[in-house]
Amino acid sequence: MELHDVWFVLIAVLWTGYFFLEGFDFGIGVLTKLLARDRTEKRVLINTIGPVWDGNEVWLLTAGGATFAAFPDWYATLFSGFYLPLLLILICLIIRGVAFEYRHKRPEDRWQTNWEHAIFWTSLIPAFLWGVAFANIVRGVKIDQNKEYVGSFLDLLNVYSVLGGLVTLTLFTFHGAVFASLKTVGDIRERSRRMATALGLVTAVLALVFLIWTQVSRGDGKSLVAMAVAVLALLGALGFNLAGREGWSFALSGITIAAAVAMLFLTLFPNVMPSSLDAAWSLTVTNASSSPYTLKIMTWCAAVATPLVLLYQGWTYWVFRKRIGTQHIVDAH
C-alpha cells in the first residue's frame, strides 16, 4: 500500500472519530429543545458534554489539516467549491462555542434564552450540512480539467444530498439521545430512552434509503459489507435501547456511524472527489496527493502524536464518566 493510500485511510478514520464524538455532541445540542422541559434540564444536558465538547472538535481540525497536508488539491477544490456551506458550518461552530461559555455569565432570562437558541441552531445546522457535503462528495460534483469546481451553491442542493443531510441530522440526534440516557439519571434518562426509540426508527428508514441508493449507484462488495454492518448496528442500538442497556446501545450507534462513514469512503476510493462532468477529471489519491517525502514526514509525526492525543482524550472521558441529574445542578445566582 502506497503512502497516499495510507493517508486516505487515516483521513477516513479522523472523520469517523469526528462524527462519532461530535455526533452525540450535536445531538445533545438539538435535544436541548426537543427533550428538556425547563432550564434545569437544559443545564443537565449541556453538562453531559461540558467537559468534552471542545476536545471533540479537535478531530475536525486534525481531519482538515491532514487533508491540507496530504491532499492539497483535494483540500483546495473542496474548500473553494463548498465555500458557502463550510463557511456556514464554521460560523455555527464559533457561535456554538461562545454560547456554551457565555450562556451562564448573566442571570437574565432573555440572555440565557438567546444563547440556548444559539446552541440548538448551531448544533442542528452543521449536523445537516455535513451530510449534504459528504453526499455531494460521493455523488460527484462539477470539476473541470483544471481540478476546479465550476458549479454553483444550488448544485449542491439535490435530492440525494438533502437526504444525506437528513440522515446525519437524525442519526446524530439519535446518537445524542442514547448518550443522554447513558449519562443522566431520573426522569430525563427515561425520556431520553423514549426519544431515542422514536428517533432511531426515523433514522433507520432514512438511512436505509440513503445507503441502498449509495450502494446501487457506486458501491461494490466491500461497501456492501459496511452497509450491512451499519444497518445491523443501528437495529442493535435500537434493541438495546429498548432493553435499557444504554452502554451497548451507545456503542452500537457509534458503530453505525463508523460503518456508514467507512461505506462512503469505500465508494469513493481511489477517488477523493469524483467529477460529474468527466470521470477523467476526477481527483484521486494519486493526482491530488502531496509528494512522497511530505507524506513520509507526516506519517512519522502522526505515529508519535496520535497515541498521546487518544490517551489524553480517553482519560478525559474516564474522569467525567459519572451520570448526572437535576439534583446535581446548583441554583443559579
Side-chain angles (χ1 to χ4, degrees):
M1 181 181 287
E2 300 290 337
L3 279 179
H4 50 67
D5 298 330
V6 171
W7 274 97
F8 179 83
V9 174
L10 290 176
I11 289 171
V13 170
L14 290 171
W15 280 110
T16 301
Y18 174 67
F19 288 140
F20 179 94
L21 297 172
E22 192 81 328
F24 70 76
D25 205 320
F26 286 143
I28 291 294
V30 174
L31 290 172
T32 56
K33 289 288 186 186
L34 302 183
L35 180 64
R37 291 176 173 172
D38 53 37
R39 178 149 296 141
T40 300
E41 290 192 349
K42 289 179 182 179
R43 291 174 64 188
V44 170
L45 290 175
I46 293 172
N47 285 358
T48 62
I49 60 172
V52 298
W53 68 266
D54 48 355
N56 295 345
E57 293 185 356
V58 171
W59 287 79
L60 172 61
L61 300 176
T62 308
T67 304
F68 172 77
F71 300 99
D73 288 334
W74 182 14
Y75 181 92
T77 304
L78 175 64
F79 278 78
S80 60
F82 291 27
Y83 179 81
L84 286 178
L86 292 178
L87 177 63
L88 183 56
I89 290 174
L90 178 60
I91 292 172
C92 285
L93 293 180
I94 293 172
I95 296 174
R96 189 168 180 265
V98 174
F100 283 135
E101 298 297 334
Y102 275 57
R103 177 185 54 85
H104 62 283
K105 296 297 185 183
R106 289 171 56 179
E108 292 89 345
D109 181 74
R110 184 175 180 181
W111 171 272
Q112 296 194 10
T113 299
N114 288 339
W115 287 120
E116 288 163 0
H117 287 321
I119 290 172
F120 171 77
W121 287 109
T122 57
S123 298
L124 184 148
I125 293 172
F128 174 75
L129 288 180
W130 280 127
V132 172
F134 271 84
N136 274 298
I137 293 173
V138 171
R139 176 177 178 265
V141 292
K142 295 180 179 180
I143 299 174
D144 65 10
Q145 65 271 28
N146 297 317
K147 302 179 182 178
E148 295 181 359
Y149 177 74
V150 293
S152 65
F153 173 73
L154 293 179
D155 290 329
L156 302 178
L157 298 177
N158 49 77
V159 176
Y160 178 75
S161 67
V162 171
L163 177 60
L166 292 175
V167 170
T168 53
L169 175 58
T170 54
L171 179 56
F172 291 169
T173 310
F174 167 71
H175 195 42
V178 174
F179 181 76
S181 67
L182 178 64
K183 290 288 293 180
T184 58
V185 294
D187 180 58
I188 192 170
R189 175 188 177 189
E190 298 302 320
R191 285 188 284 113
S192 296
R193 286 173 51 196
R194 292 196 294 270
M195 179 72 72
T197 300
L199 288 167
L201 293 173
V202 174
T203 302
V205 173
L206 293 175
L208 191 61
V209 174
F210 178 76
L211 294 178
I212 291 175
W213 190 344
T214 303
Q215 177 63 28
V216 170
S217 59
R218 292 190 172 273
D220 57 14
K222 294 179 181 177
S223 62
L224 180 61
V225 171
M227 184 187 82
V229 172
V231 173
L232 292 174
L234 180 57
L235 295 177
L238 272 168
F240 278 111
N241 176 72
L242 288 171
R245 302 292 297 275
E246 294 98 343
W248 282 103
S249 181
F250 179 71
L252 286 171
S253 67
I255 291 174
T256 302
I257 293 173
V261 174
M263 179 187 178
L264 295 182
F265 275 87
L266 285 169
T267 58
L268 269 179
F269 188 81
N271 294 322
V272 294
M273 238 180 141
S275 172
S276 60
L277 299 179
D278 190 329
W281 296 343
S282 297
L283 299 181
T284 68
V285 293
T286 304
N287 65 22
S289 68
S290 296
S291 67
Y293 183 69
T294 300
L295 296 177
K296 184 177 180 180
I297 293 176
M298 290 175 59
T299 303
W300 280 108
C301 292
V304 173
T306 303
L308 298 175
V309 174
L310 292 176
L311 285 172
Y312 174 75
Q313 192 160 26
W315 175 79
T316 302
Y317 276 90
W318 175 256
V319 169
F320 296 100
R321 66 189 182 278
K322 292 185 178 180
R323 296 176 182 266
I324 62 173
T326 52
Q327 67 271 28
H328 300 114
I329 303 298
V330 298
D331 293 334
H333 294 292

